């Protein structure tokens, strides 16, 4: 996955071809702009212990710095949209956190200088978050960003971050915090490249929202000298410093033309020989559903209900839940469209205060998703009542599926509860056992939906948020594709719908192979729909089947991508 660092010739690094995890497709060519992420050591040394008369005046200086940093986040949040607003608002809250202030105050009272106290307190929280794993571990990057900003404010330096470049550039960083990425202008930032971060890191989420080509987990990226021209390929996951400028510019132009064509795609998706494919949207709430509703989709393939409740301490009543779900269903009522509502996937990387168990040794393998209903059956029953009420009040066609299903018994019991409320029942295939039992699951449910994010994590035994394991948490891994193919084949035999709703569905190239395996629907962020639809509409079913075989037979993800690209090009 990762090429060795470029050979050093004299004291000049030879141009190199680096590889990482592709996150947002697209080609970009421009000079490297490294992100300054550290406060200068000289300024910190000159500041010393701050020369405060007592602990109270030191804490007053801390409070002023914290408020200025928090206000900076709030201002950036108000100028941002969607996911960026959420992460920036969360950073403002983290900066004002009482626990963090207490940690600093304790250290200052113990005689530490203010900068050392801030760094010590943040380090303590970083350890804590890292130990909690999952989404909390991702917050460690945000905390370190807050620490750098606080220290910069204290010592009188500008807060570190992305300077506006003089010419359009490729941003290269170790990792990017929300505040770095949120205000990026796609006119001057051509692409994002980071050494760390996986497909679900903040860099990835915000790059996707902005539509900037992005490759993460690129070993050696920080060795690229400022100003070096590189060609970033957000589909192949490469950062190429070896390509000739004229060739690179021609490739970027061809990509731009192809993307412009995709932007005009209005659906529905159909291969050149007439095989229809349903393209659906992944949504999180009423607002994202309304946005998705105007894109060329035939419904919602994944409504992540737990995302409505991340900040709730108490379980919402059935009526409250019904109102929240109705907002999404309303956006997709009629026109033959439908909504697949997923019941709470609480736990692991999505802790929900009123549902998740605390103190689990290993939350990703613990009581998450449907498993929560064993110890707390009322939670699922009330949610199903809320969904059924929303379906009745809106008249929208509503399917319901459960996350983290591992056995046929779990699927049967869930389906009985859903059907008792007059709704169509399905389960997600996220655990390898479910893929292996797909035939038997389809005897008890109406449809399956493959969650490739978790299916990849559990097949490869690799934490989906661990940037060091991004080469394993890649849905192009042949073992993952094998399980998808097994599940799709079971769907064909049963004549039932088998969709994909993980990030894999948003990859236009992989989509071709998935359809060739027999997948009947693809659900993705609505921003990705046109590119996937345009790609599928340009190939025949025979090409899709050839692409499926090529991907399954490939030795590794990179070989799979290359092979499928070749098959598609030959169509
Ligand atoms: C998945 O695991 O692929 C999925 C769609 O669920 P989530 O990403 O919400 O865990
Ligand atoms: Mg999942």
């Amino acid at each position: 996955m990762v090429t060795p660092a470029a050979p050093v010739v004299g004291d000049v690094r030879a141009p190199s071809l680096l590889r990482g995890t592709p996150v947002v497709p697209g080609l970009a060519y421009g000079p490297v702009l490294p992100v300054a992420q550290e406060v200068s050591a000289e300024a910190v040394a000159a500041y010393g212990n701050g020369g405060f008369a007592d602990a109270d005046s030191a804490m007053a200086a801390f409070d002023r710095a914290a408020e200025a940093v928090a206000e900076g986040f709030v201002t950036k949040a108000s100028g941002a949209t969607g996911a960026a607003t959420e992460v920036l608002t969360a950073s403002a809250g983290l900066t004002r956190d009482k626990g963090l202030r207490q940690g600093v105050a304790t250290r200052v009272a113990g005689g530490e200088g203010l900068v050392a106290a801030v760094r010590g307190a943040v380090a303590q929280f970083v350890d804590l978050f890292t130990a909690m794993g999952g989404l909390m571990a991702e917050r460690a990057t945000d905390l370190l960003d807050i620490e750098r900003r606080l220290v910069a404010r204290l010592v009188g330096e500008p807060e570190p971050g992305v300077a506006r470049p003089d010419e359009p550039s490729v941003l290269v960083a170790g990792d990017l915090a929300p505040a770095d990425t949120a205000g990026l202008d796609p006119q001057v930032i051509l692409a994002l490249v980071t050494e760390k971060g996986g497909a679900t890191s903040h860099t990835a989420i915000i790059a996707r929202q902005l539509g900037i080509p992005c490759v993460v987990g690129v070993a050696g990226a920080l060795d690229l000298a400022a100003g070096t021209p590189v060609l970033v390929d957000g589909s192949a996951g490469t950062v190429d410093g070896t390509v000739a400028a004229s060739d690179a510019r021609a490739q970027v132009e061809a990509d731009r033309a192809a993307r412009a064509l995709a932007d005009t795609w209005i659906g529905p998706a159909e291969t050149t020989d007439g095989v229809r494919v349903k393209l659906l949207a992944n949504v999180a709430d009423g607002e994202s559903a309304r946005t998705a509703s105007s894109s060329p989709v035939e419904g919602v393939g994944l409504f992540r209900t737990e995302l409505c409740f991340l900040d709730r301490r108490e379980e919402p009543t059935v009526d409250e839940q019904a109102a929240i779900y109705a907002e999404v269903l309303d956006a997709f009522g009629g026109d033959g469209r439908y909504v697949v509502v997923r019941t709470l996937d609480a736990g692991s990387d999505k802790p929900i205060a009123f549902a998740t168990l605390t103190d689990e040794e290993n939350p990703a393998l613990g009581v998450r998703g449907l498993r929560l209903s064993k110890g707390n059956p009322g939670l699922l029953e009330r949610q199903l009542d809320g969904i059924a009420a929303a379906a009745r009040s809106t008249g929208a066609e509503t399917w319901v599926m459960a996350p983290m299903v591992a056995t046929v018994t779990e699927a049967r019991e869930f389906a009985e509860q859903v059907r008792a409320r007059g709704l169509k029942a399905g389960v997600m295939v996220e655990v390898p056992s479910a893929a292996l039992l797909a035939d038997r699951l389809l005897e008890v449910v109406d449809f399956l939906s493959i969650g490739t994010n978790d299916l990849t994590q559990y097949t490869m035994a690799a934490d989906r948020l661990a940037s060091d394991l991004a080469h394993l948490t890649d849905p192009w891994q042949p073992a993952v594709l094998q399980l998808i193919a097994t599940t799709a084949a079971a769907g064909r035999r049963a004549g039932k719908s088998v969709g994909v709703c993980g990030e894999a569905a948003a990859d236009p190239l992989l989509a071709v192979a998935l359809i060739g395996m027999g997948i009947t629907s693809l659900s993705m962020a609505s921003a990705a729909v046109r590119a996937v639809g345009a790609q599928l509409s340009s190939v025949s079913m025979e090409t899709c089947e050839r692409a499926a075989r090529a991907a399954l037979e490939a030795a590794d993800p990179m070989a799979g991508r290359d092979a499928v690209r070749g098959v598609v090009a030959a169509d």
Side-chain angles (χ1 to χ4, degrees):
M1 192 69 191
V2 166
T3 54
V8 176
V9 182
D11 61 354
V12 179
R13 275 194 179 275
S16 55
L17 172 65
L18 305 177
R19 291 181 189 274
T21 303
V23 172
V24 181
L27 281 184
Y29 182 66
V32 165
L33 173 71
V35 180
Q37 288 181 308
E38 299 304 329
V39 184
S40 87
E42 294 76 27
V44 173
Y47 182 76
N49 67 6
F52 298 107
D54 52 28
D56 283 348
S57 40
M59 286 312 293
F62 171 79
D63 289 339
R64 279 193 300 277
E67 199 39 41
V69 172
E71 267 310 307
F73 285 128
V74 171
T75 308
K76 283 196 167 114
S78 64
T81 55
T85 311
E86 281 164 35
V87 288
L88 287 165
T89 307
S91 285
L94 215 48
T95 313
R96 292 180 172 132
D97 186 78
K98 289 201 177 67
L100 178 63
R101 185 185 189 281
Q102 187 54 48
V104 176
T106 307
R107 286 179 152 74
V108 168
E112 285 185 34
L114 188 50
V115 168
V118 167
R119 288 182 166 161
V122 167
Q124 192 182 341
F125 278 92
V126 165
D127 288 349
L128 189 71
F129 283 16
T130 308
M132 288 164 86
L135 264 191
M136 297 310 284
E138 288 267 315
R139 295 293 95 84
T141 304
D142 307 355
L143 264 175
L144 290 169
D145 177 54
I146 290 167
E147 178 214 281
R148 285 188 287 266
R149 288 170 192 279
L150 285 172
V151 173
R153 287 270 171 187
L154 289 174
V155 305
E157 285 214 331
E159 289 184 30
V162 182
R164 197 181 163 83
D166 299 332
E167 59 177 320
S169 302
V170 171
L171 205 66
V172 176
D175 202 355
L176 287 166
D180 293 327
T181 37
L184 292 182
D185 177 357
Q187 299 299 321
V188 286
I189 303 301
L190 300 171
L192 296 180
V193 174
T194 61
E195 269 207 355
K196 293 195 165 161
T200 51
S201 62
H202 278 139
T203 308
I205 291 168
I206 293 174
R208 216 171 272 129
Q209 186 182 322
L210 294 171
I212 301 177
C214 176
V215 186
V216 299
V218 182
L222 289 177
D223 293 338
L224 290 165
T228 311
V230 289
L231 177 67
V232 178
D233 186 335
S235 305
T238 53
V239 180
D240 191 352
T242 66
V243 63
S246 56
D247 185 15
R249 292 206 179 92
Q251 287 188 46
V252 170
E253 215 24 73
D255 175 66
R256 197 166 290 148
R259 282 205 272 170
L261 196 64
D263 283 347
T264 62
W265 187 84
I266 52 165
E270 183 173 315
T271 60
T272 50
D273 44 357
V275 177
R276 282 289 305 275
V277 179
K278 276 196 190 309
L279 297 191
L280 307 165
N282 290 355
V283 304
D285 52 19
E287 191 189 337
S288 55
R290 285 186 287 276
T291 306
S293 158
S294 58
S295 62
V297 291
E298 299 185 54
V300 169
L302 172 63
F303 170 18
R304 289 181 162 103
T305 56
E306 66 282 353
L307 299 186
C308 301
F309 308 122
L310 285 175
D311 57 350
R312 299 289 284 254
R313 304 220 62 78
E314 307 289 334
E315 182 188 337
T317 64
V318 170
D319 287 349
E320 257 184 286
Q321 292 192 50
I324 292 168
Y325 306 147
E327 274 204 51
V328 171
L329 296 181
D330 248 342
F332 280 90
D335 301 338
R337 305 209 283 185
Y338 63 98
V339 175
V340 182
V341 183
R342 177 174 76 182
T343 55
L344 278 188
D345 186 21
S348 188
D349 57 335
K350 286 169 285 194
I352 305 290
F354 61 82
T356 316
L357 305 189
T358 48
D359 299 333
E360 283 192 291
E361 280 285 330
N362 194 344
L365 298 179
V367 185
R368 61 169 291 202
L370 181 67
R371 296 168 181 193
L372 280 162
S373 67
K374 200 165 168 58
N376 186 357
L379 185 69
L380 176 61
E381 283 162 17
R382 288 185 291 277
Q383 183 174 29
L384 292 177
D385 287 343
I387 297 168
R392 271 195 308 277
S393 72
T394 59
E397 184 178 341
T398 308
W399 303 11
V400 187
M401 67 180 179
M404 279 299 284
V405 171
T407 72
V408 177
T409 304
E410 286 172 347
R412 182 186 302 110
E413 288 173 2
F414 177 77
E416 281 165 5
Q417 287 178 277
V418 173
R419 288 185 184 133
R421 290 165 173 85
L423 303 170
K424 204 162 159 173
V427 294
M428 291 189 73
V429 174
E430 299 180 287
V431 183
S433 65
L436 296 168
L437 295 175
D439 278 315
R440 289 158 65 183
L441 288 176
L442 284 165
E443 287 170 12
V444 299
V445 299
D446 304 314
F447 69 95
L448 296 177
S449 180
I450 305 175
T452 46
N453 308 335
D454 278 314
L455 184 62
T456 306
Q457 153 164 275
Y458 295 123
T459 303
M460 304 305 295
D463 183 342
R464 60 192 265 186
L465 297 176
S467 49
D468 293 344
L469 301 178
H471 60 296
L472 294 177
T473 50
D474 186 328
W476 284 85
Q477 282 289 350
V480 179
L481 295 179
Q482 194 65 62
L483 290 174
I484 296 173
T486 299
T487 310
R492 273 185 170 159
R493 280 191 291 275
K496 291 185 176 178
S497 152
V498 174
V500 168
C501 65
E503 292 298 310
D507 176 342
L509 208 55
L510 186 48
V512 173
L514 294 175
I515 297 310
M517 290 174 196
I519 292 297
T520 55
S521 68
L522 297 169
S523 190
M524 64 204 84
S526 54
V529 169
R530 287 191 165 82
V532 171
Q535 175 70 80
L536 289 175
S537 302
S538 74
V539 293
S540 67
M541 190 59 185
E542 202 191 319
T543 293
C544 294
E545 286 168 356
R546 222 176 300 129
R549 283 193 295 277
L552 285 162
E553 284 164 11
D556 58 37
M558 200 54 72
R561 287 185 175 94
D562 288 347
V564 172
R565 203 173 288 115
V567 169
V568 168
D571 180 273

